[in-house]
Amino acid sequence: EKSANLPAPQPQAAGAAPMTYNAKANPPSNEEQGRLIDAIREYALNYSDQLPDFICSEVTVQYAGPKSGGLRKVGEVDSHLTYFQRKETYTPYMRDGNLTQAAYDKIPGARSVGDFGSMLRGIFEPSSQAQFDWEKWDRVGDTRVMVFTFHIAQENSNWELFADGGQHMVTAYRGRVMADPVAKVVLAIETVAENVPSSFPIQQAEDTLTYAMREISGHQFLLPQAVQIVMSGSDGQSRLEKRFANYRKYDIGSTITFGDPEPPPPPKKK
């Protein structure tokens, strides 16, 4: 399992001073930035190949409301997620507290797929022609990170928006990547859709994906922890929150017991 070699964030020694950072500190040199981006690109393009086959639980909570008003919870779906041979399969088993056999793509409301490598690869794939620019130093949890902004034109994009009624489109997007300069891995990604036609039902879309170290069969892997998607259109707005837990190795005949996943802290918006 190649990803068993991924460096884990180093624990802080007992009695050590709390980690500090200065968001206004001088940026690293252009050469250092370039070396990190090259290392992250190699990591991103090989990320899916490095993951083992696994199963986990996914809880999706949907909120919706009028465009100018507040949001209220309108649905919750618990799913069995299988990652096998680099493919994600979602099997809902509970919807709003009731057992369900509905297919994942038949359940109304916003959805997201590709959390296990597609988004990451889509940003760093050479064909995306993303231009990365230094923004600042920041922190994800206790880890000091370099924050880079990027932009991907529509003709190079793989981000699709799907609206009710079967409408869909590929959109240009911009975003931010938060990278650990020591482990040379991505800890969080933020994306924002751009130039969406006024005739399309979804006018604004933002996606935040955070990662955390998880143990599978005695090895540590950097895996999705939470996803938040915020969308709005002429008929209202919505927010989708997903969290992943109970990761374990997938074997033929594997079973999984679904409990309430430990809720992660909400992604930090800067």
Side-chain angles (χ1 to χ4, degrees), residues 140-141 208 210 212 214 225-228 242-243 262-268:
V140 174
T208 301
T210 58
R214 294 290 183 258
Q225 177 188 38
V227 176
Q228 178 176 276
K242 294 172 59 173
R243 61 188 190 273
E262 179 183 351
K268 292 176 62 178

Side-chain angles (χ1 to χ4, degrees), residues 226-238:
V227 176
Q228 178 176 276
I229 301 173
V230 177
M231 295 189 293
S232 65
S234 58
D235 58 346
Q237 59 179 324
S238 67

Side-chain angles (χ1 to χ4, degrees), residues 60 62 104 107-112 162 164 229 231 238-240:
T60 302
Q62 179 85 38
Y104 191 75
I107 295 178
R111 293 182 299 277
S112 75
F162 292 84
D164 291 339
I229 301 173
M231 295 189 293
S238 67
R239 184 176 77 245
L240 180 76

Side-chain angles (χ1 to χ4, degrees), residues 38-236:
D38 288 343
I40 293 295
R41 177 175 286 109
E42 181 178 0
Y43 160 78
L45 297 181
N46 291 288
Y47 177 79
S48 296
D49 293 335
Q50 294 174 337
L51 294 180
D53 296 332
F54 63 82
I55 55 179
C56 71
S57 60
E58 177 202 75
V59 176
T60 302
V61 182
Q62 179 85 38
Y63 300 87
K67 190 172 183 179
S68 59
L71 299 176
R72 64 180 181 86
K73 181 178 177 180
V74 295
E76 180 171 329
V77 178
D78 297 58
S79 299
H80 172 182
L81 192 158
T82 302
Y83 186 85
F84 181 67
Q85 296 182 346
R86 300 188 296 278
K87 181 180 179 182
E88 303 166 29
T89 302
Y90 300 81
T91 306
Y93 71 95
M94 190 79 72
R95 179 182 177 189
D96 299 329
N98 300 308
L99 293 175
T100 183
Q101 294 183 335
Y104 191 75
D105 60 355
K106 300 300 182 183
I107 295 178
R111 293 182 299 277
S112 75
V113 295
D115 303 316
F116 294 85
S118 297
M119 177 188 289
L120 186 64
R121 186 180 184 90
I123 295 170
F124 286 92
E125 185 76 57
S127 60
S128 298
Q129 299 183 30
Q131 176 65 47
F132 295 92
D133 295 304
W134 168 262
E135 184 180 69
K136 63 180 179 179
W137 289 100
D138 206 334
R139 186 190 303 183
V140 174
D142 290 330
T143 303
R144 193 181 192 220
V145 295
M146 292 180 176
V147 182
F148 294 91
T149 61
F150 67 90
H151 177 266
I152 296 177
Q154 183 180 24
E155 59 268 24
N156 303 320
S157 172
N158 71 341
W159 190 13
E160 287 190 84
L161 300 179
F162 292 84
D164 291 339
Q167 298 184 67
H168 65 95
M169 65 164 291
V170 175
T171 179
Y173 64 102
R174 69 181 188 275
R176 303 160 78 230
V177 171
M178 285 139 254
D180 180 345
V182 177
K184 295 180 174 57
V185 297
V186 173
L187 298 183
I189 301 170
E190 297 176 355
T191 58
V192 180
E194 290 187 328
N195 304 324
V196 179
S198 59
S199 59
F200 194 72
I202 300 171
Q203 286 297 292
Q204 294 180 317
E206 301 180 11
D207 195 328
T208 301
L209 170 61
T210 58
Y211 296 87
M213 298 302 295
R214 294 290 183 258
E215 180 178 319
I216 300 178
S217 298
H219 298 290
Q220 293 289 321
F221 298 91
L222 193 63
L223 292 162
Q225 177 188 38
V227 176
Q228 178 176 276
I229 301 173
V230 177
M231 295 189 293
S232 65
S234 58
D235 58 346

